[in-house]
Structures are given as C-alpha cells and as structure tokens.
Amino acid sequence: MSDADRSSGEGNGRAPVREQVQIGLILESVADVAPFPEDWDERATGVEYLYRKNTIVVRDSNLDSVRSSLDGRGVRNTVDDTVLAGATRLSVSKPADDAWSLHEELARIEGEEGHGAAGFDHLFYVCVHCCAAIEPEPVPADSVPVPRPQSGQDAASPASSHGKGVRLLVFDTGLVEGAEEHPWMAGVTGEDDTLVAAGAGTTPARIGQDGGHGTFVAGCVRVTAPEAKVNVVNAARLLTLTADADGIGAAFESDLAALLSSHLVAAGGDHPVRVPDVLVLNFAGTTQGGRPPVAMAGLYDSVIKHLKELLIVSPAGNEGDKRKTWPAAFPWVVSVGGLAENWRNRATWTNHGRNVDVYAPGDRLVNAFATGDYEPTWDGQQHNAVPFEGMALWSGTSFSTPLVAGLVAARMSTTGQSSRRAWQSLLDLAERQALPGVGPVLYPGQELA
C-alpha cells in the first residue's frame, strides 16, 4: 500500500478512507463501543480513542470515595462482576430525562481524586484502531517464511538453543486449524481463532477481518525462536458483538486486564499458574488525553511489578506518527516499531519517537495464515473474495513485536539469563547498532551478537 493510499482522504476535512472503513466496522460490530469525538468521520484527525459506553474503571484505592461522590450527585453506579486486579469496573448512568455526560462526570471525578483515579474503559485492537499497515496478501502455500527460521545451517548463531525450554504467551486472536502443519509451527498451541469461520463441503472457510492474525504472530515468534513453547490466547473472544456481526480483533481494556490477571495469578488450589517467560501482548490503542489506561495500571501495581521474571512486549502502532499507544507506552513494556523491507529504514507506517524502545523487521513479512477466502475492505470498495492457502504476506508492528520476543527467548535458552536480563543485553546491542533517523534496531539471528 502506498503512502497515497494510506493518507487518502486527508486534506479535505475528513479522516483517511482506511480509518473511516475500519472505525465504521468496529462501530457496527461491537455492541457497546463509542468513539471520541462523536463526529470523528468529519474530522481530519479521525478518532482519538474508542471506549465502552456508560462505563468507567476506578482504582480500588479510590473506589469508595468515587462511589460516594457519584451517589451524592444522583449518578447510578453498579459494580461489575468482572474480576480485576487493583481496579473495579463501574456501570454508570443518569435518568434518561437528565442531561448528563460521561466525559463531564469523569472530569469531576478527576478533579476530586486526581488523574489516574478513574478513566474510560478503552477499546484496544490487535493492530491499533487503524489496523495493520496493509491488509494480508496471499502467497503460495509452499512459500518460505520471511524472515527465514533461525534453525539448522541457516542459523546466524549456530550455538543458539533457539528458545528451547522458554515459554511465550501470545495474547491475540487465537490459532487457526492446521497451523501446526507448517514445520516451524510444530508444537505451537492455542485457543481457536474465532475470526475464521469453518467451511463446509466445497465451501471454503471465511476469513474475517483480523482472522489469522494470531497465527501469523506465533509464526513470527517461531522464526527467531524455533524451539520455544508458544501458546496463543484468543483475547478477541471477549467482545460482545451486535446481532449478525462478524468477530473483530479487539478487546476492552478491563476485559483484557482481567484475562491477563487470570493467566498471571494463581487461581488457588495445589496447582498455581506458571507465569510465562515472555508475554506478547499484541493489543494497542489510544486513550483519553494519552493517559495510562486505569485497568492496566492497576494490574501492574497489583500483579505484574511483582513478577520479576516476566517480560512484556507490545507493538508501537501503525499510524506513522509519534502518538502514544498503550500498553506499549508503559515503561514496563517493551515497545517495538517496524523497519522497512530493506531493514535499513524506518517503515513509513510505523509509529516512532521516544515511546519506541527498539525497531525490528516488519514490512512485507511472510508467515503462516488461515486457509480460506478473505474479502479486502479498506478502500471502501466491494471486492471479490481472495483465496488464501495457509500463508500470507503482511506488514505491521504486530509482527515486528514477536520477532523481538523470539530473540529474547533464544538468548535466554542459550545464556541462561532471565527474560529481563536477556532483553537488556539485546537492547545494549540494539543501541550500539542504532540506525540514523531510526533508532535502536535488532535483526533475526542476533540473540548472541
């Protein structure tokens, strides 16, 4: 996709066509989502953030005083039964005949409690709300992954253990049926990708928007860490959809935080949950005023900061600017940007600036995908379905991110370092080989460089 294609629609007072289509799909598909500003499609800046209607997330330390204040103003508030760590989700509303704004209510709460006490329940997306840098493109079923798997005689570091014994957990859209048939995907496990509808008889499977994303990401982990234990969680299944809507690769921050907590905290009994070595948290989104999302901040303070051997990596985003996206913008998350196809320049679509920790290849990668028909949608035109044979070419920071996660795993297995120590060693290397106009960079096969 050219820069002209990506920016089509700018300069005429409207959001780019790509964003109009993608945001329109989200608003049609997700039952309780709202955009800010409401007239986003008439603005060149588009949507600033997406959030759950009539819902706020409150830090537990502020919950009693916030609820007391809401009661005093006659605002109905109910504690949601979603179990969060360090925060609570509230459903809030006023009588229908009473003029009231959720934005104004949050401003009052922040005035009383301070920033960070409460916030919207923002929507995060597997590719940021504008989606990946390009839509997936079909390649032959026997295509070789790009980058090539680092194994055997092709390994740039022959002494590497290639991630053996290291556990990676990928939060994404799940794993497609048959993915393990690709040699580099053998042993990868995961929940079903519900964004791919199974075919029947001569009817091929239907690949929905974002379908196959988690599979492609798991494949990117495996090309840099071919022996790592990879499990893919389908976090996209948490959404409540409108009637007859297809699935979509997104999750509200509170649901994502709750699911994360369930994978990181022992549920009780004699079998505590084993924390992964590396977590690929492949969701991203913008928030009100660029502030830290409250549900994720609460999870960090209550759980994550106590897990000394856990490393979290997330994509920096694909808007091609310096905007802050979460959770990548947290200082406790490794934020990954994308390199162009030549591996020497920053990709035109990648977010950049001081919020990005490292860059890795992310443009026109090839890896495992779903088998079936996919209908391109971004230019707003009706297309014939495009057949895929289990492989795809794709671009985005969502795919740069698992390459870095795999490099960390490969270094851990070879050196015996913890995930955080392995990352620090790799960051030192990335900074030594930083590219002018880009920043710190890492490449496949550099786990021992």
Side-chain angles (χ1 to χ4, degrees), residues 67-134:
R67 296 198 70 193
S68 177
S69 179
L70 291 171
D71 290 339
R73 289 194 288 272
V75 179
R76 293 184 296 219
N77 60 95
T78 305
V79 174
D80 190 275
D81 59 4
T82 299
V83 178
L84 302 177
T88 298
R89 194 166 76 193
L90 289 180
S91 297
V92 294
S93 62
K94 286 278 281 186
D97 59 351
D98 194 351
W100 178 77
S101 163
L102 184 60
H103 285 78
E104 292 176 358
E105 193 61 55
L106 260 181
R108 293 189 190 98
I109 292 172
E110 290 186 334
E112 297 168 351
E113 305 283 334
H115 288 319
F120 286 107
D121 193 6
H122 299 94
L123 187 76
F124 291 166
Y125 204 71
V126 292
C127 324
V128 190
H129 65 246
C130 280
C131 205
I134 63 172

Side-chain angles (χ1 to χ4, degrees), residues 168-183:
L168 292 97
L169 192 64
V170 176
F171 268 56
D172 207 285
T173 65
L175 195 66
V176 301
E177 184 178 359
E180 70 281 357
E181 295 176 7
H182 297 294

Side-chain angles (χ1 to χ4, degrees), residues 194-284:
T194 50
L195 304 183
V196 179
T202 59
T203 302
R206 182 176 181 275
I207 306 170
Q209 180 87 63
D210 311 318
H213 192 274
T215 300
F216 197 100
V217 167
C220 289
V221 171
R222 274 299 189 87
V223 298
T224 48
E227 297 185 54
K229 297 179 180 179
V230 181
N231 182 257
V232 186
V233 176
N234 181 1
R237 61 179 167 77
L238 302 172
L239 279 181
T240 300
L241 302 174
T242 56
D244 301 322
D246 291 330
I248 195 164
F252 285 107
E253 70 170 84
S254 64
D255 291 328
L256 193 58
L259 187 62
L260 274 168
S261 180
S262 72
H263 280 78
L264 299 178
V265 180
D270 298 328
H271 303 286
V273 175
R274 181 183 170 189
V275 175
D277 299 296
V278 182
L279 173 64
V280 180
L281 185 50
N282 225 12
F283 283 76

Side-chain angles (χ1 to χ4, degrees), residues 376-445:
T377 59
W378 280 1
D379 63 7
Q381 305 298 318
Q382 186 68 29
H383 289 281
N384 293 324
V386 177
F388 281 78
E389 300 178 316
M391 292 289 289
L393 179 151
W394 220 345
S395 302
T397 54
S398 290
F399 313 131
S400 309
T401 298
L403 293 182
V404 172
L407 282 170
V408 172
R411 185 174 182 86
M412 289 176 63
S413 66
T414 303
T415 65
Q417 291 177 307
S418 69
S419 58
R420 295 189 186 184
R421 290 292 299 273
W423 158 242
Q424 193 57 58
S425 297
L426 288 169
L427 179 59
D428 290 343
L429 168 64
E431 291 175 340
R432 292 197 302 271
Q433 61 189 21
L435 294 175
V438 181
V441 295
L442 287 172
Y443 304 106

